Amino acid sequence: MSNPIFKQNYFEIFSVPVSTALNLSQLKEKNHELQQQVHPDRFASSAESEKREAMQVTSLVNEAYNTLKVPVSRLQYMLTLKGMDMNSETDTSMDGAFLMQQMELREEIADVQSQSDPLDVLDTMSRDLKNQAENLVLSFAEHYQQDELEKSREIVRKLQFINKAQKEVNDLTEQLEDELI
Amino acid sequence: MALLQISEPGQSTKPHEHKFAIGIDLGTTNSLVASVRSGRPDTLPDVNGEHILPSVVQYKADEIIVGIQAKQNQIEDSQNTISSIKRLMGRGLDELKSQFENLSDVLPYTFVQSDSAVPKIKTVAGDKTAVEISADILKTLKERGEQTLGDKLEGAVITVPAYFDDAQRQATKDAATLAGINVLRLLNEPTAAAVAYGLDSGAEGIVAVYDLGGGTFDISIMQLKKGVFEVLSTGGDSALGGDDFDHAIAEWILKEAAVKPADLSSGLLRLVLHEACKAKEALSDVEQVQMNIEFADNKHWSGTLNREVLNSLIDPLIKKTLLSCRRALRDADIDKDQVVDVVMVGGSTRALRVRENVAAFFDADLKVDIDPDKVVAIGAAIQANALVGNDSEGNLLLMDVLPLSLGIETMGGLSEKIISRNTPIPVSRAQEFTTYKDGQTAMALHVVQGERELVEDCRSLAKFELRGFPPHVAGAARIRVTFQVDADGLLSVSAREETSGVEASVEVKPSYGLQDAEIEAMLKASMEFAGEDKDARSLREQQVEADRVLEAIDSAMADDGEEMLSADERESIQQVRAELAIARHNATETQVLKEAMAKLEKVSANYVARRMNASVQKSMAGHQVEEFNK
């Protein structure tokens, strides 16, 4: 693992500034560029040790790309760059109003099948959740800028809630669509 | 003879600069081998001009027959003639039994329970695993490649269904090892098809590859851009294909004829399946077919199968494939209308009903212009060629994904996902574990693959036993386990105790795969019995060598034979040359050919020396001796 890439953070690997706002198509292009150089297929006729290193480096590039590509993991990673670990937190208290709102949403999801047009309702929910997520990312950027890490972390936790709800909405949509076919 | 090949100083001979590599499509029903020659990829025919090799192996007591002839013998020797073996790759008998209601209907063979988890089929040539049977198909293809290309192969790219799990991939790689093939890469079939199609058409954008073969279905959503083929998502069913259409039709026939499958011999069952397949293929061209089948005891059945009935039989199966398409699109986060092309791959996409349904689903034109049987092998050949360094532009890049999530068993029989499906590969993930007993120095991890929550609903891949970390108080050890999936989609596991830095030893116990020792034993056995194979191979190698020698002497004689040799000398060389030419075509023993070459070498030894001399003098002409002393 002598390759200098192992000492770089994910943003450095992709030569982009540490920021919540990333140009995804640029990121993708850079990913292709990196893969052209490091992918194991470029080392198919090389010595075993080089092949192994190519596999490890490409695994790292893939991991970095996947982390930066998705907002919630990108934000989480930005916190770890400042020494904040999401998993070892002791204070798990959350904004009460937010939790209340989440519980209501869960009830609505559970209830959706009794609606006259459940797919429409789910579509609306999905759009709302998407908007909420976007707003959370914007507010994270502000707090992160000010080094308000506790606040930033709370936003990431909210984002995790939103993502979970979004996944439930998607799964249910999929299930209902399958039943319709 | 090497001396004859001297070239002008400063110029190097480059006869071996081009490295040969092949692409192999190891299919359920048919297999193919392709390679890139003079920049053009194409499938390679056998001596009779046949490109397609039916994936059928007939075992006789003293002979193994692969391909068309085996297929023809299938009905009369159904117990020893194995087809559709791909369905068994990396699978256990218990799994297959639960998957198919009538296993003997799908695979009408006698299975033997062995000590190993891998099922074996009883044949007159001994009990055979799916890996060994596949290896026999691969050997035939490899030999065809070597004979056509007339050279040693650098290696091969072998295609697998994208939806193959780790055990199925590993079994394929094991089969290649057994066949003596250096595997450059396991390549997903839809990716291979996209390469063949994309490089041919220069297409860019989002492409869906719908691949319905004999026994497997794959859907891949890919992005094509300037030589980069990026798989966004993949899905499918590794146990659904055109064979299932045949079975549905066969069941219909038996119902119509009021015959119970249990009352039929395996040969007769084969016959019914055969007729079903024929009817299916015919219905792509005509509206209805008349069928006649002689069952035993003078029971005769005749009936008519029309398109409408056929459609009602296969529609449920097609619908299953479209559900996979929907999920793949969702996983890729792509809308249907973003898909610019749908590439159709696999023999079963010839069925009109399949094309109608897929076109309606994607609301797009289908790409059917590359032969759906050949497109996968051609794509594999293109990648094989690039992997050995023949791709001069060097910008072909295939980025693939893990088809099914990998997880480990946790308390209560739940699967905890470690790497989720559609993650780009290669990928590596680490997870930390601790001990639950004082002084514990070993632990076992059960790795499963699949999307379901319960371990019992996923496929069991292997148990990894980690040993040799230093004893700690319970909960104090920090064991970091790294799961690495390589570019072939194959998993390996390593573990390290973090507080001490001690690497644990990892023993893999595959659930449905062969252990390393079993492969080794098979390799050994195949070497012992492969005496004849080996002879044929070394004869072929000597023939290639003889061709080279003949070519070298001919070109030398044409160059300077007149000026350097007397008439007598010329004649004796020509005479021995003629002897070698005859031996080249007629000799059946390596030794004869070797002797003929040695004789030519001897008789032309003086000539070689003179040429060498002349060449050295020529290169020194016009130079001062002092220059060479420097």
Side-chain angles (χ1 to χ4, degrees):
Chain A
M1 299 244 194
S2 53
N3 200 305
I5 199 170
F6 291 107
K7 295 198 176 67
Q8 294 183 311
N9 76 40
Y10 294 171
F11 291 95
E12 286 165 349
I13 290 173
F14 279 85
S15 320
V16 291
V18 179
S19 158
T20 55
L22 286 184
N23 179 332
L24 288 185
S25 60
Q26 231 170 47
L27 197 70
K28 194 179 188 97
E29 213 158 285
K30 183 72 188 173
N31 186 38
H32 287 178
E33 213 176 283
L34 283 168
Q35 300 270 352
Q36 285 281 15
Q37 295 159 23
V38 302
H39 195 276
D41 281 0
R42 291 280 169 271
F43 301 88
S45 320
S46 305
E48 279 306 316
S49 59
E50 279 179 80
K51 283 187 195 173
R52 201 174 323 117
E53 176 156 325
M55 179 176 75
Q56 286 162 346
V57 172
T58 311
S59 296
L60 175 66
V61 171
N62 277 331
E63 186 67 28
Y65 179 64
N66 279 341
T67 305
L68 296 186
K69 192 176 67 175
V70 183
V72 67
S73 56
R74 185 194 314 147
L75 268 44
Q76 221 170 314
Y77 184 72
M78 285 170 71
L79 285 176
T80 61
L81 287 182
K82 298 246 184 185
M84 272 280 211
D85 188 347
M86 288 302 292
N87 299 321
S88 69
E89 57 198 305
T90 41
D91 169 30
T92 48
S93 66
M94 286 274 290
D95 173 355
F98 177 81
L99 282 179
M100 206 55 196
Q101 194 193 340
Q102 285 301 307
M103 272 160 67
E104 279 165 14
L105 181 65
R106 294 299 154 98
E107 278 167 23
E108 275 178 57
I109 295 175
D111 198 37
V112 84
Q113 298 206 51
S114 62
Q115 305 275 336
S116 61
D117 198 342
L119 285 177
D120 265 1
V121 179
L122 286 169
D123 278 352
T124 313
M125 281 182 189
S126 176
R127 259 196 310 276
D128 282 352
L129 288 167
K130 223 171 180 174
N131 281 335
Q132 284 189 49
E134 277 166 16
N135 288 331
L136 284 173
V137 172
L138 289 178
S139 110
F140 175 94
E142 279 170 29
H143 291 295
Y144 190 82
Q145 198 86 50
Q146 309 292 322
D147 249 349
E148 294 164 349
L149 298 181
E150 290 293 340
K151 284 227 169 82
S152 306
R153 184 165 67 183
E154 194 180 331
I155 293 169
V156 173
R157 260 192 276 144
K158 283 183 182 171
L159 202 52
Q160 287 170 332
F161 266 91
I162 301 279
N163 280 357
K164 232 178 173 165
Q166 182 81 61
K167 191 180 176 300
E168 271 175 45
V169 169
N170 289 351
D171 288 352
L172 193 55
T173 309
E174 193 167 337
Q175 192 191 323
L176 290 178
E177 280 175 352
D178 285 355
E179 283 165 15
L180 282 177
I181 287 185
Chain B
M1 225 43 200
L3 270 182
L4 260 181
Q5 293 172 338
I6 49 167
S7 57
E8 293 299 312
Q11 286 178 350
S12 65
T13 44
K14 297 183 178 175
H16 298 303
E17 210 174 50
H18 187 91
K19 292 177 180 167
F20 288 102
I22 50 174
I24 291 177
D25 174 5
L26 182 63
T28 308
T29 320
N30 294 312
S31 295
L32 289 112
V33 55
S35 92
V36 178
R37 288 184 291 171
S38 322
R40 274 184 48 85
D42 202 0
T43 50
L44 307 177
D46 65 7
V47 285
N48 299 318
E50 297 286 348
H51 289 251
I52 287 176
L53 179 78
S55 304
V56 185
V57 184
Q58 183 185 15
Y59 288 97
K60 294 186 160 184
D62 53 354
E63 195 187 3
I64 299 172
I65 300 171
V66 180
I68 294 171
Q69 207 193 326
K71 193 180 174 184
Q72 282 162 358
N73 300 341
Q74 203 172 9
I75 289 168
E76 61 185 60
D77 190 16
S78 61
Q79 286 291 306
N80 297 306
T81 311
I82 322 292
S83 60
S84 295
I85 194 62
K86 192 173 175 180
R87 293 193 156 209
L88 250 86
M89 291 293 267
R91 304 196 149 250
L93 200 49
D94 49 341
E95 284 184 300
L96 290 162
K97 278 182 181 153
S98 63
Q99 189 187 333
F100 299 108
E101 244 173 87
N102 298 311
L103 183 66
S104 61
D105 179 24
V106 184
L107 300 154
Y109 314 114
T110 311
F111 287 96
V112 225
Q113 200 59 58
S114 60
D115 316 334
S116 146
V118 180
K120 292 186 174 182
I121 293 173
K122 195 176 168 159
T123 77
V124 290
D127 300 341
K128 299 283 178 183
T129 61
V131 167
E132 289 167 287
I133 296 163
S134 298
D136 284 324
I137 299 170
L138 286 173
K139 264 182 215 162
T140 307
L141 295 167
K142 176 188 153 212
E143 276 159 23
R144 188 191 290 184
E146 283 171 341
Q147 273 164 21
T148 318
L149 302 171
D151 211 325
K152 205 178 155 342
L153 295 175
E154 199 74 16
V157 168
I158 300 177
T159 60
V160 289
Y163 216 53
F164 253 21
D165 62 35
D166 185 88
Q168 292 166 303
R169 283 165 198 269
Q170 190 59 57
T172 306
K173 207 167 180 181
D174 290 345
T177 306
L178 211 50
I181 294 174
N182 170 32
V183 181
L184 298 167
R185 177 77 67 239
L186 294 180
L187 176 61
N188 289 332
E189 286 160 13
T191 313
V195 168
Y197 161 76
L199 287 186
D200 197 45
S201 65
E204 299 224 327
I206 308 285
V207 167
V209 183
Y210 180 100
D211 180 356
L212 189 61
T216 54
F217 168 67
D218 274 338
I219 174 73
S220 285
I221 310 296
M222 309 182 67
Q223 182 159 29
L224 275 53
K225 199 179 178 189
K226 290 186 230 145
V228 179
F229 294 76
E230 183 179 8
V231 179
L232 302 177
S233 71
T234 190
D237 191 332
S238 62
L240 173 69
D243 285 4
D244 297 292
F245 293 2
D246 299 348
H247 289 123
I249 299 167
E251 270 169 36
W252 175 83
I253 293 171
L254 294 181
K255 216 171 104 198
E256 291 286 304
V259 174
K260 284 198 198 102
D263 299 340
L264 291 180
S265 68
S266 63
L268 212 46
L269 254 174
R270 272 270 145 233
L271 181 79
V272 176
L273 278 173
H274 193 73
E275 290 297 318
C277 179
K278 253 173 50 188
K280 173 189 75 179
E281 284 170 5
L283 283 173
S284 284
D285 298 320
V286 297
E287 286 293 329
Q288 58 178 45
V289 284
Q290 179 71 29
M291 303 176 80
N292 290 296
I293 295 176
E294 294 292 337
F295 288 102
D297 309 327
N298 293 328
K299 187 171 163 42
H300 177 89
W301 173 80
S302 71
T304 308
L305 180 64
N306 61 27
R307 276 191 190 164
E308 203 182 317
V309 175
L310 174 74
N311 292 349
S312 72
L313 293 172
I314 65 175
D315 274 357
L317 297 167
I318 300 174
K319 203 172 124 185
K320 260 173 104 176
T321 68
L322 296 180
L323 281 175
S324 297
C325 293
R326 281 159 35 84
R327 197 175 82 166
L329 283 168
R330 201 187 310 272
D331 281 353
D333 201 11
I334 291 289
D335 287 329
K336 271 197 261 184
D337 50 16
Q338 286 174 270
V339 176
V340 293
D341 282 326
V342 182
V343 181
M344 299 294 272
V345 189
S348 304
T349 59
R350 287 211 173 83
L352 289 180
R353 189 64 171 177
V354 172
R355 290 188 181 180
E356 279 168 22
N357 276 291
V358 175
F361 175 82
F362 283 101
D363 193 19
D365 286 336
L366 306 181
K367 295 286 162 191
V368 290
D369 28 332
I370 305 185
D371 185 340
D373 286 323
K374 291 183 175 179
V375 62
V376 167
I378 286 175
I382 294 172
Q383 203 210 4
N385 193 52
L387 287 179
V388 296
N390 292 332
D391 173 22
S392 52
E393 286 162 31
N395 59 3
L396 177 67
L397 180 69
L398 314 186
M399 295 161 66
D400 231 309
V401 298
L402 183 73
L404 295 150
S405 302
L406 285 170
I408 49 168
E409 177 170 354
T410 59
M411 291 290 192
L414 293 174
S415 161
E416 184 185 326
K417 301 267 183 300
I418 303 238
I419 307 174
S420 54
R421 72 166 191 255
N422 291 320
T423 301
I425 50 171
V427 58
S428 143
R429 288 281 155 78
Q431 183 116 340
E432 234 173 63
F433 298 88
T434 190
T435 46
Y436 69 99
K437 262 190 195 160
D438 286 349
Q440 189 179 340
T441 60
M443 70 185 340
L445 289 174
H446 181 203
V447 178
V448 297
Q449 195 161 21
E451 310 312 315
R452 306 280 295 274
E453 292 295 319
L454 291 179
V455 161
E456 60 180 38
D457 294 329
C458 294
R459 284 216 73 208
S460 170
L461 286 186
K463 291 214 166 67
F464 292 88
E465 285 183 10
L466 317 174
R467 291 180 191 284
F469 34 83
H472 280 87
V473 180
R478 284 169 48 218
I479 299 137
R480 191 179 167 81
V481 181
T482 305
F483 301 83
Q484 172 79 58
V485 177
D486 67 14
D488 292 333
L490 291 172
L491 170 74
S492 61
V493 167
S494 61
R496 211 168 104 104
E497 204 285 306
E498 293 283 283
T499 58
S500 61
V502 173
E503 289 281 334
S505 74
V506 180
E507 196 189 337
V508 193
K509 292 193 169 154
S511 309
Y512 296 107
L514 295 162
Q515 302 213 20
D516 287 351
E518 289 178 278
I519 303 268
E520 251 168 60
M522 281 179 191
L523 259 177
K524 244 183 166 168
S526 76
M527 277 174 200
E528 276 162 25
F529 294 113
E532 262 175 47
D533 290 4
K534 242 169 96 187
D535 287 351
R537 190 191 155 140
S538 69
L539 177 65
R540 179 65 210 161
E541 279 168 6
Q542 290 304 320
Q543 284 172 342
V544 173
E545 183 61 29
D547 285 341
R548 218 172 270 155
V549 168
L550 288 168
E551 202 186 307
I553 191 95
D554 288 349
S555 84
M557 296 279 276
D559 254 12
D560 49 25
E562 290 283 327
E563 54 206 75
M564 284 198 192
L565 296 168
S566 70
D568 279 357
E569 286 171 321
R570 270 208 302 277
E571 183 156 337
S572 58
I573 289 179
Q574 284 301 358
Q575 199 183 330
V576 180
R577 185 220 168 267
E579 281 171 29
L580 175 62
I582 292 166
R584 157 67 183 85
H585 290 286
N586 298 341
T588 52
E589 276 174 49
T590 317
Q591 200 48 38
V592 176
L593 209 48
K594 275 188 178 164
E595 278 162 18
M597 277 190 274
K599 202 168 163 192
L600 181 60
E601 194 155 353
K602 203 171 159 201
V603 74
S604 55
N606 275 331
Y607 176 37
V608 172
R610 266 177 244 165
R611 291 196 80 214
M612 180 71 127
N613 226 341
S615 148
V616 172
Q617 274 175 1
K618 196 169 152 199
S619 70
M620 290 195 302
H623 293 275
Q624 300 290 321
V625 179
E626 289 80 61
E627 289 180 50
F628 293 92
N629 291 338
K630 276 180 193 166

